[in-house]
Structure formats: structure tokens, C-alpha cells
Amino acid sequence: MSGNLWMFSDMLDDEDIEMLKRDFITYYQGADYYGLGLKVFTRMAREAGAVYKIGKKVLIRRSIFEEYLRQLYRKEKTQQNSNE
């Protein structure tokens, strides 16, 4: 395994490993994998700027979307710390 992925190999299942192989995913794959509703995932992907339209096919760049999720998590965590 490349990078530091080997450190988390006991926490990964087959679905995670299959998702790591993909650079682009569809709306349905993303909503299913991240456990979000289709409309919510679509909105978040657009906000992240991760949507690529190729003809009639729409794909989401997973790396951009995941960075967006990390930023949201950091922002939420910072807000929680400031409220305490």
C-alpha cells in the first residue's frame, strides 16, 4: 500500500479500498458511500467545486470533495471549541 494507508489497513473494508482506487465517482456512488441523501450530496459537491460534466455524464472528483469535507469538519470543530 502506498503512503500511510497501511497504518489504517485494519480499519478499511473492501468498499473503502474500492473507493480509494477511484478518482471520480457518480452522484449515486458518492451519496451511497458517504451516507448522504442524493440531494445533499449533489449540493455539497457543487459547493466544493468538485463537479465535472463531460457531455451528459456528471462526475465528482473525490479528492476535492473530501478536502471540502475536511474543511467543514475543521470549521465545525473550531466553532465548538469557541463556544465552550
Side-chain angles (χ1 to χ4, degrees):
M1 292 185 196
S2 64
N4 295 326
L5 187 59
W6 63 270
M7 292 189 295
F8 304 102
S9 62
D10 61 329
M11 293 184 246
L12 299 173
D13 61 7
D14 292 339
E15 184 182 12
D16 294 325
I17 293 171
E18 186 62 34
M19 187 60 73
L20 288 171
K21 293 178 185 177
R22 298 174 179 267
D23 290 331
F24 293 92
I25 56 175
T26 65
Y27 283 132
Y28 294 105
Q29 289 170 329
D32 183 48
Y33 181 74
Y34 293 105
L36 299 169
L38 187 59
K39 287 184 179 183
V40 173
F41 180 76
T42 302
R43 179 182 51 81
M44 291 177 75
R46 286 186 181 149
E47 287 174 3
V51 178
Y52 289 79
K53 193 167 185 181
I54 304 162
K56 292 184 179 183
K57 183 93 170 169
V58 178
L59 297 173
I60 311 306
R61 183 145 204 177
R62 198 176 49 80
S63 60
I64 295 172
F65 183 74
E66 288 184 356
E67 181 58 34
Y68 174 74
L69 291 178
R70 283 188 208 94
Q71 289 174 1
L72 286 179
Y73 176 75
R74 284 186 211 120
K75 183 178 177 182
E76 184 177 305
K77 194 173 179 181
T78 304
Q79 287 176 351
Q80 286 177 352
N81 290 338
S82 65
N83 290 337
E84 291 177 355

